[in-house]
Amino acid sequence: MEAWWATLNEPLKWFYTIAITTSVLMVFQLILMLFGMDGDEFDDVDADGDGAGAEVKVLSIRTVTAFFAGFGWTGVAVLESGGGLVAALGAAALIGGVFMGGVILLMRGLSAMRHSGTLDYANAIGEVGTVYLRIPPAMSNPGQVEIMVQGRLMVAQAFTRADSEIPNQTRVRVTEVMDKNTLVVEPLAGAESSGEES
């Protein structure tokens, strides 16, 4: 190993040092991610954009590591194939940028998937469901409703502002959300228990 290292010129030593160090760091980050400890504690520059995934950082430990891994190994490849230092630096910067952009896009995609998978009961407003457990009148106590939220059939706690109790199996509409998982419902006009015959 020492004999091989001694045969390298200074630019190659620098590129190998960058490439090996950042590759080890990337493997370490992957191990942390597998164990759920992937917090990017030193993020400092926000990416532009709105919506899911917009909070992904442009400059973070992950993206900078990806840049220098691409930078280092590209520099090694160019110099080992007989290219000059200027060509190695240019190609390394280009491929490093591609690596960095790829990681940013991947992180945004994962962030968007995480957001889309988060259940938001505000999306239930206006939806029609069925009373699962009778709902006492005038916001006195909660009952339960069975309702589709973001494509999932859920049983959620629910109150009503109606003056009379809403019995089981009555069709109701969600009018508001009290907190992140409690709904306010009203019976549909002329709704009857689905268990009763018309």
Side-chain angles (χ1 to χ4, degrees):
M1 181 72 175
E2 288 182 12
W4 167 76
W5 187 255
T7 64
L8 302 178
N9 59 33
E10 285 302 311
L12 258 178
K13 286 180 180 178
W14 278 107
F15 277 117
Y16 265 116
T17 300
I18 291 169
I20 293 169
T21 303
T22 52
S23 295
V24 169
L25 187 54
M26 287 180 74
V27 170
F28 182 65
Q29 289 173 349
L30 179 61
I31 292 169
L32 289 179
M33 286 176 64
L34 291 174
F35 287 95
M37 298 179 291
D38 61 331
D40 224 352
E41 304 295 339
F42 304 105
D43 294 351
D44 53 359
V45 179
D46 287 334
D48 293 327
D50 298 313
E55 75 280 2
V56 171
K57 310 296 182 179
V58 170
L59 291 183
S60 69
I61 296 296
R62 279 191 210 94
T63 59
V64 171
T65 300
F67 173 84
F68 281 109
F71 180 90
W73 288 117
T74 302
V76 165
V78 172
L79 291 178
E80 289 280 19
S81 65
L85 180 58
V86 173
L89 287 170
L94 177 64
I95 300 302
V98 170
F99 272 50
M100 185 177 185
V103 169
I104 290 170
L105 290 175
L106 177 63
M107 289 167 62
R108 283 186 174 179
L110 291 173
S111 179
M113 287 173 58
R114 211 166 24 235
H115 282 289
S116 66
T118 302
L119 193 65
D120 183 359
Y121 277 85
N123 292 320
I125 294 175
E127 296 293 327
V128 174
T130 305
V131 174
Y132 184 77
L133 183 65
R134 67 180 187 84
I135 306 173
M139 306 291 286
S140 55
N141 281 300
Q144 290 182 336
V145 294
E146 191 174 56
I147 194 160
M148 291 289 289
V149 183
Q150 294 174 211
R152 301 184 221 174
L153 186 62
M154 307 293 297
V155 175
Q157 183 170 271
F159 287 84
T160 185
R161 299 185 188 281
D163 294 329
S164 57
E165 175 184 285
I166 306 178
N168 280 1
Q169 301 302 310
T170 302
R171 301 284 283 167
V172 293
R173 187 182 308 279
V174 178
T175 58
E176 59 186 285
V177 177
M178 287 184 62
D179 56 44
K180 64 180 181 179
N181 57 7
T182 304
L183 308 174
V184 178
V185 300
E186 63 182 12
L188 291 179
E192 294 182 351
S193 168
S194 61
E196 296 174 3
E197 295 184 11
S198 50

